[in-house]
Amino acid sequence: MATPTSSFFLLPLFFVFLFLLTGSDAVFDVVKFGAKADGSADSARSFLKAWSYACNSRSPATVYVPAGKFFVTQAVFRGPCKNSMIKFLIQGTLVAPSNYGGSGGSDQWIAFSGVNGVSISGGGTLDGGGSRLWACKLAGRSCPSGTSSLTFVNSKNIAVDGLTSIDSKLFHIVVLRCQNVKLSRVNIVASGNSPNTDGIHVQMSTGVDILQANIRTGDDCISVGPGTAHLWIERVFCGPGHGISIGSLGRAQGLQEESVRNVTVKTVTFSGTQNGVRIKTWGTRIQGQVRGVVFEDALMRNVQNPIIIDQNYCPGNKGCPGQSSGIKISQVKYKNIRGTSATPVAVTFDCSPRNPCSGITLQDIKLSYYSQRAQSSCKYANGVASGLNVPPSCL
Ligand SMILES: *[C@@H]1O[C@H](CO)[C@@H](O)[C@H](O)[C@H]1NC(C)=O
């Protein structure tokens, strides 16, 4: 007799059979595991079941999400798995709960934890449903911090291609304690006044590439947290948003590693953003360094702070008044940065009196303040300028 339990066990046999028959990878369609493309029935368990089959497969496997809207309360896909070639083929849209109290204190909506060799493709969408939470935060009420839409944690060999993320409650994409991650053709959209909706946040991770991203959001387009090394960002459009930011570093959080090394940001356009390329540290004594950064070929359109190093970040003067940053910034190169500043000071280096910036290079900078001349401002900043420099360098 075909009880639900026996069909549950027969299903994987069927897929194994299909696999042997066709010689192709095993495909686990979430709909076959009970997911409903109606945008309202919770499909989280079906997604997790499909994942467990893919994860336990000894050969490459695909989790398939067909077209349609799938409501998913929360799904954390955990490794380790028995194969290191799992494809998530998403053609539909995953929809998060729009009420924001239900995440049980977790800051993750869709997450991959402890996996090796996972790729996401198919042109699908994650809809974080953040607008009600943003309204709560904007009203200054006491609200939960919310969930990030897509998190990779403690994972390696990850590829995401062609994914769209809209209206996250917190960050759109988070890469935390990962190695070898490639995010390409990611499209991120949230309202320009949505709080804390960073596009991509990278922290404690090595070997992350972000290529061809289109990011319109309410906070940093890309934020780079402590412990990041060998990060490559190329062909990114940013705006609205707060720009591409290394930091904030040096916040009193008990983090061990407060350093960022070897970051390249190349061929980027900023439009109407608060910052262009920024390095930001709290004015606290916490030690660390930012070393080996290249910002190259950037176009600024009406950007408030096109080039900025701010080592005196201390909102509300709480926890750090009068302290100078213990983070040492060195070997930072700005090359071929052009366009318009929305404020008179287009280049700001506000470094730490205790740890002056060193080895700053400016080469071919051409920034104007509408039709007027823009200015540069330097405090405790050392380095050299070459080529064209408009505004004149203050190094
Ligand atoms: C910097 O990182 C890139 C990858 O983003 C890597 O190819 C390069 O070798 C690294 N350079 C150093 C000096 O580590």
Side-chain angles (χ1 to χ4, degrees):
M1 208 175 79
T3 62
T5 330
S6 68
S7 71
F8 180 78
F9 286 109
L10 283 171
L11 208 56
L13 281 177
F14 168 74
F15 284 118
V16 168
F17 181 66
L18 199 71
F19 170 70
L20 292 174
L21 207 67
T22 62
S24 63
D25 302 352
V27 175
F28 303 101
D29 180 341
V30 293
V31 169
K32 300 228 165 73
F33 288 88
K36 295 269 183 296
D38 63 1
S40 62
D42 185 9
S43 293
R45 285 192 59 192
S46 311
F47 275 65
L48 290 169
K49 265 188 223 164
W51 167 261
S52 78
Y53 283 113
C55 183
N56 283 302
S57 164
R58 292 196 177 271
S59 53
T62 297
V63 173
Y64 176 52
V65 181
K69 278 186 192 264
F70 296 89
F71 175 61
V72 177
T73 45
Q74 186 188 38
V76 179
F77 303 107
R78 291 179 199 282
C81 294
K82 293 190 174 134
N83 78 87
S84 55
M85 283 181 80
I86 300 182
K87 190 195 279 185
F88 241 86
L89 187 63
I90 306 178
Q91 291 176 337
T93 299
L94 276 57
V95 182
S98 64
N99 66 343
Y100 45 78
S103 64
S106 165
D107 61 1
Q108 299 170 350
W109 172 39
I110 306 295
F112 292 84
S113 175
V115 302
N116 174 13
V118 170
S119 70
I120 299 180
S121 61
T125 300
L126 303 181
D127 179 351
S131 60
R132 282 172 67 184
L133 178 58
W134 306 339
C136 175
K137 289 183 178 177
L138 289 170
R141 298 208 301 273
S142 123
C143 350
S145 60
T147 50
S148 291
S149 284
L150 177 62
T151 300
F152 297 96
V153 58
N154 295 324
S155 294
K156 57 185 179 184
N157 305 318
I158 302 297
V160 176
D161 180 56
L163 185 74
T164 295
S165 174
I166 63 174
D167 295 350
S168 63
K169 293 190 178 74
L170 192 62
F171 299 174
H172 284 264
I173 300 178
V174 174
V175 176
L176 179 64
R177 292 194 292 274
C178 290
Q179 283 162 45
N180 188 23
V181 177
K182 185 169 173 180
L183 309 176
S184 54
R185 301 188 306 157
V186 168
N187 193 22
I188 290 173
V189 188
S191 153
N193 72 346
S194 56
N196 317 121
T197 54
D198 293 37
I200 301 171
H201 179 75
V202 180
Q203 185 164 324
M204 306 294 290
S205 294
T206 302
V208 178
D209 292 351
I210 300 171
L211 308 172
Q212 268 188 280
N214 205 324
I215 306 175
R216 300 159 190 271
T217 193
D219 207 307
D220 292 338
C221 286
I222 300 175
S223 53
V224 181
T228 301
H230 314 312
L231 169 64
W232 190 280
I233 297 170
E234 188 169 352
R235 279 182 290 161
V236 171
F237 176 93
C238 167
H242 292 184
I244 295 181
S245 191
I246 296 178
S248 316
L249 303 176
R251 187 178 188 171
Q253 271 181 332
L255 287 167
Q256 313 266 303
E257 163 83 72
E258 281 287 341
S259 296
V260 170
R261 286 178 298 122
N262 186 16
V263 175
T264 300
V265 177
K266 201 170 154 34
T267 319
V268 285
T269 298
F270 297 89
S271 184
T273 52
Q274 186 192 75
N275 305 287
V277 290
R278 171 170 67 170
I279 301 175
K280 174 170 142 188
T281 74
W282 287 66
T284 67
R285 301 183 74 83
I286 292 172
Q287 296 191 358
Q289 56 171 315
V290 175
R291 188 182 176 87
V293 180
V294 176
F295 297 113
E296 188 174 351
D297 301 332
L299 176 64
M300 307 283 170
R301 287 193 212 133
N302 201 27
V303 172
Q304 290 172 42
N305 305 294
I307 293 177
I308 180 165
I309 295 180
D310 174 7
Q311 291 213 262
N312 290 296
Y313 186 63
C314 190
N317 264 339
K318 284 197 191 107
C320 41
Q323 296 189 49
S324 68
S325 174
I327 311 278
K328 170 81 185 163
I329 297 176
S330 64
Q331 293 174 30
V332 183
K333 179 174 182 176
Y334 301 85
K335 184 179 172 191
N336 189 28
I337 315 264
R338 284 152 200 272
T340 53
S341 173
T343 66
V345 183
V347 179
T348 304
F349 297 128
D350 184 3
C351 296
S352 166
R354 196 150 56 99
N355 279 306
C357 295
S358 64
I360 301 209
T361 317
L362 288 167
Q363 184 185 343
D364 296 326
I365 309 298
K366 191 164 186 259
L367 294 165
S368 61
Y369 171 47
Y370 299 106
S371 55
Q372 302 164 49
R373 294 174 58 150
Q375 297 154 31
S376 303
S377 160
C378 290
K379 282 182 200 149
Y380 306 103
N382 303 303
V384 292
S386 65
L388 177 75
N389 270 278
V390 180
S393 160
C394 55
L395 290 171

